Amino acid sequence: MAALWLGGLVLLVMSIGFAVTIGPSGLGFGDVMGSLRANVFGGRTDLSGLQESIIWKLRLPQSVLAAACGAGLAVCGAVLQSLLRNPLADPFVLGVSSGASVGAVSVILLGVGAGVIGMAGGAFLGALAAFGLVLLLAKLAGGTTDRVVLAGIAATQLFSALTSFIVYTSADAEQTRGVLFWLLGSLSSPTWTEVAVCGAVTIVGLVLCLLFSGALDAFAFGNDAAASLGVNIVRTRLILLCVTALITAVVVSVSGAIGFVGLVLPHAARAIVGVRHRIMMPTLALLGALFLVWADVAGRVLIAPQELPIGVITAIVGVPAFVLVLIRQGRR
């Protein structure tokens, strides 16, 4: 298994290096690797100052951010599917991403909590509010797993409407265009600070999920079975749901609402390495990182020189996969 993870990590590094070369600047893979080597270990390159800036201030942070966001969203999807025992659960479908978007937009356009909680903090509170609403609606509707998804769809529509209301009543034309593009999922022009925060939150979240991997395995057999195995149901759920909300909030605050990553990739990871979370989670993080790096590349080349929002790419892939999972569940 270590060999698989090492191979996946090497493939991820090579994918990021290749992604940096995509564009009109004439950069090659060797140029990118040479610049990385020179900046990490010291030395000189033949690249111009403009080419170095393109690598270090534009494309490399964008590709690394794509990897961090993909890994984080994929892990969130697996956690939610285990806790809720629903293969259709993910932050986007359950309205968590939409709630985080409302929180982030409220900070950006309305100034709610600006300077106190920041955009990521607003997104976190919005994500918690959305998930709390979903759980409440699902409980009132009977508490079954299919009711959770239906409640998530309702919450998604509600928070999407709130986001649209805030944008159209509080933003000028230029702000509206920028916010709407961001809400479709955009990784363009991130700062290294944003990359570092998103990467750190994703790594810490992954470690915490690995610490609770045994509990996540137990949840697959139901709450009663998990409790009989010594799992503290309430505490474990609270911790993991907060971790999921935090990762989703940070991802949304830097990239907008990117859907279906957490829905599709956990099923792929289980097909590759099985259902044990201790093994599946690292594999899933690598798959999520690879998927979003290449989705970002696709967004840059499909309608070049314009950039297609990455959320459009993930939806094109994710919606058919969602339908397949739905049909498969219906036949059981």
Side-chain angles (χ1 to χ4, degrees), residues 10 20 22 24 42 49 52 108-109 133 157 185-186 192 197 212 220 227 233 253 282 314:
V10 171
V20 176
I22 302 299
E52 290 282 356
I108 296 171
L109 298 180
L133 177 62
Q157 295 303 313
S186 174
W192 278 110
V197 170
F212 285 93
I233 301 296
S253 71
T314 59

Side-chain angles (χ1 to χ4, degrees), residues 141-164:
T144 58
T145 56
D146 59 325
R147 295 296 190 274
V148 174
V149 173
L150 293 175
I153 293 172
T156 297
Q157 295 303 313
L158 171 63
F159 284 100
S160 295
L162 287 175
T163 300
S164 299

Side-chain angles (χ1 to χ4, degrees), residues 70-82 89-91 209 240 243-249 251 262-263 266 281 284:
L73 290 174
V75 168
C76 287
V79 171
L80 291 176
Q81 288 173 13
S82 176
D90 94 318
C209 292
L240 290 176
V243 169
T244 300
L246 179 59
I247 294 175
T248 303
V251 170
L263 170 64
M281 283 292 189
L284 177 59

Side-chain angles (χ1 to χ4, degrees), residues 44-169:
R44 299 177 60 86
T45 67
D46 295 328
L47 300 178
S48 66
L50 177 60
Q51 288 176 316
E52 290 282 356
S53 295
I54 290 173
I55 292 174
W56 289 96
K57 295 183 179 180
L58 182 62
R59 294 186 188 164
L60 185 59
Q62 182 171 340
S63 296
V64 176
L65 181 63
C69 291
L73 290 174
V75 168
C76 287
V79 171
L80 291 176
Q81 288 173 13
S82 176
L83 290 179
L84 302 176
R85 298 182 65 200
N86 193 317
L88 300 178
D90 94 318
F92 188 80
V93 174
L94 294 183
V96 180
S97 295
S98 297
S101 297
V102 171
V105 169
S106 297
V107 173
I108 296 171
L109 298 180
L110 301 181
V112 178
V116 179
I117 59 175
M119 189 165 70
F124 178 61
L125 294 178
L128 287 179
F131 204 84
L133 177 62
V134 169
L135 294 180
L136 176 62
L137 291 176
K139 184 176 181 179
L140 293 175
T144 58
T145 56
D146 59 325
R147 295 296 190 274
V148 174
V149 173
L150 293 175
I153 293 172
T156 297
Q157 295 303 313
L158 171 63
F159 284 100
S160 295
L162 287 175
T163 300
S164 299
F165 179 80
I166 294 170
V167 170
Y168 282 107
T169 57

Side-chain angles (χ1 to χ4, degrees), residues 208-232:
L208 286 173
C209 292
L210 286 173
L211 292 176
F212 285 93
S213 59
L216 288 170
D217 291 339
F219 274 113
F221 300 99
N223 291 344
D224 293 339
S228 68
L229 293 172
V231 177
N232 188 321

